[in-house]
Amino acid sequence: MNGFFRHIILFLAILIILAIGIDIWISSHLRKSKSYSAGEYAVWNDIFADRIHHDILIYGSSRAWVHFSPYIIDSVTKLSTYNMGLDGQSFEVQYLRHVKIFKRHIPKIVIFSLDVFSLERDTDIYNVEQFLPYMPDYDIWKYTHRNKGFTMFDYWLPAIRYAGRRKEISLAISQIDSAQTKLYRNKGYKPIDAYWSKQVEENLQKKKERYVVIDSTLKMLFERCVAECIAKQVRVYFVYSPEHILGQKHIVNRDSILTIYSQIAKKYNVRFYDFSSEAMCLSTKYFYNASHLNSVGSELFSKKLADSLALTF
Amino acid sequence: MLFNSSVFAIFLCIVFCLYWLVFKQTKQQNVLLLLASLFFYGWWDWRFLSLICFSSVLDFAIGLALQNTQIQSKRKWLLITSIVVNIGLLFTFKYYNFFVESFITVFQTFGINLNIQTLSIILPLGISFYTFQTLSYTIDVYKRVFEPTKDIIAFMAYISFFPQLVAGPIERASNLLPQFFKKRTFDKTFALEGLKIMLWGFFKKIVIADGISVLIDPIFKSPEQYNGATLAVAGMLFAVQIYADFSGYSEIAIGTARLFAFRLMKNFNYPYFASSIIEFWKRWHISLTSWFKDYIYIPLGGNRYGLQKQIINTCIIFIISGIWHGANITFILWGIAHAFFFIPGIFLRKKIYAIPAFVNSILLIGKIFYTNCIVILLWFLFRAESMKDVTIIFSKIFSSNIFHQSVEFPVYIYILTCIVFITEWFGRTYDFAIVGIANKAPRAIRWGVYYILIYTILYYFETPLQYIYFQF
């Protein structure tokens, strides 16, 4: 029996050493990808490599990363800005980014980009591929382990999380010479050069009205995040960026969601800018769909926001 | 619980350590195996544990009753009770809807509309396998070839032994049950061989079978959308898939059992290297084929009452085999078609004249090729989802449609399939090719190959897919 265990332990030890090597190799190459997984690797790399020392951080979902131009805000406010928006994520994963960044750097200002879906509990985590190269990490485990596709083995055993992920492995191989690839996101920001089309309009017409169920734990987490910022002497702003008028109609309880944000803003004495009733929300030329501004719209909005912010300094 | 899941890996490690390090007495080990097996089965659906327990207790009691009575008529009634109850359960869960629907269809053709309700019945996992296993015990006790056991724990552990519970091999009491009474000593070589067999099984299941499944399932879902050439290639790939899936499962089961010092019967003996349909059936799903032979074919008279009776008995076995595989007319036709190609072999068995060795080799390759053509062709009946699909597939394959350009399947699947068959060809003289070949190589090469196999499995491992034979 002892001989058997010795044999197995030796075999597994070599297997694990090989797995660690494979894991490190795949992870380090996958991280180089600038556009895969909505370009999130670039932001995670900046966080893990401690490259974010900016004065202003923008938190939020996809509406954050396509709406807030750090370059415009930088130029107007003279404060360095980084956009930490995450595509398609509820506040849980947004909070994960907050946790990771606050362990390394405390900014002067945090802008919360608000939307109607961030406080809604999603059935599964979207775009989980973004976590793969960084997974052996307690915080990442804490905020992503509910994802149905992940097991404990994925977090704590080398290479297991890449099992069956042929696309990511191929991508890692193709990144061996990736220096020439153009950066997909700059300081976390991604302007979208797309325009409102007939298809968008048709889809909007077909879209049914929806009631967004606010998750109480996410609401608490949001509030906790605001409180943590305040406690660290960080100035907080709430911003509801422009949303096309046609898209606003589809969420039955939109007003009550905005009231929740208003109440939190009032409780913590946070300035709340609501751009969803601005004139630009009536024009389709600034949007590529009902809730997302295109590059023209985002630049205009960023300018407006930066001017408003500058007035408060 | 699927073999190809992380839960099973944890489960196996825990049971293995408890079995060898904590519970060292045979009786304690039997209790552990029984509890582990029930847990393994209950993980899928605990409600059906009652069914397996009921079957086991019933046949255990009937076994004892058979021993305690010498009156032949009473013994016969006890055997009939066991058969009726076990087959009754199998019929209810597996065939009730099929027969009711067939009954309604037949009456509808005569213009009579029957209003009989079908039921929404879940097929309990492995019911066809453990029902046959428990039946073999009662029949052997009835025929006095086997002494019934008085140890209900050992008996239940034998029926529900987790490595082979859900898809066989269908073990005979005479082979497996005595192993539950022997003192088990840990044999390092035997256990390591078990791991090698498991590894090869996982490779076949995850890399080959699951890899092919993703490619061909959409084709068999809507065969009308594909041309004859694509369907023909899909059929060949299905032949590889079903072999890799089922023999892979059997090998994982056999390897797992070896970790607990149990020797299960071999279920596959390189069936695609068979040179005739008769030989194919001696090599494919051996535990089921031999079960049919011992408990149906021979009691029916086998080949003892002339050629005509032998042919009838052969047809009966193949029809039952078809029905066993599933409640669908396609399976029955698959059985009948195999009988059709099997029976001429009975006439051609005797070697008429001696031929030179090199001619014999060429002939052998030709025979293997012919046999595989037949087998692959008949797999279409097995895989097609309805008779309508069978008609579509055959009408496209046996027409000029076959000469159209086939859909391109990824090259890696052909390469990996070749690796499996080349390995098995060179290791065909051994029970398990991987063990036979590996034992010849130095450790560094051997381990290198195992690591490559493991990482290839991980590379291709996606969402665990069910084994094809779970549905039977």
Side-chain angles (χ1 to χ4, degrees), chain A residues 1 3-5 7-8 10-20 22 151 153 159-160 162-167 169-170, chain B residues 6-7 9-10 16-17 20-21 186-188 191-192 195 199 259 412 443 446-447 450-451 454-455 457-462:
Chain A
M1 194 76 195
F4 176 79
F5 278 120
H7 195 98
I8 293 298
L10 179 64
F11 183 83
L12 289 179
I14 298 171
L15 186 75
I16 288 170
I17 290 166
L18 285 171
I20 291 169
I22 291 170
T151 67
F153 296 129
I160 293 289
Y162 292 112
R165 291 196 176 269
R166 280 177 271 170
K167 193 175 172 188
I169 295 170
S170 307
Chain B
S6 50
V7 186
I10 300 169
F16 179 82
C17 291
W20 290 113
L21 303 176
F186 188 79
D187 180 343
K188 182 187 162 190
L192 287 174
L195 288 174
L199 179 61
L259 292 178
Y412 75 83
R443 183 189 272 194
R446 210 165 60 222
W447 282 28
Y450 300 151
Y451 290 132
I454 290 170
Y455 285 115
I457 289 169
L458 284 178
Y459 183 70
Y460 286 102
F461 184 85
E462 287 183 55

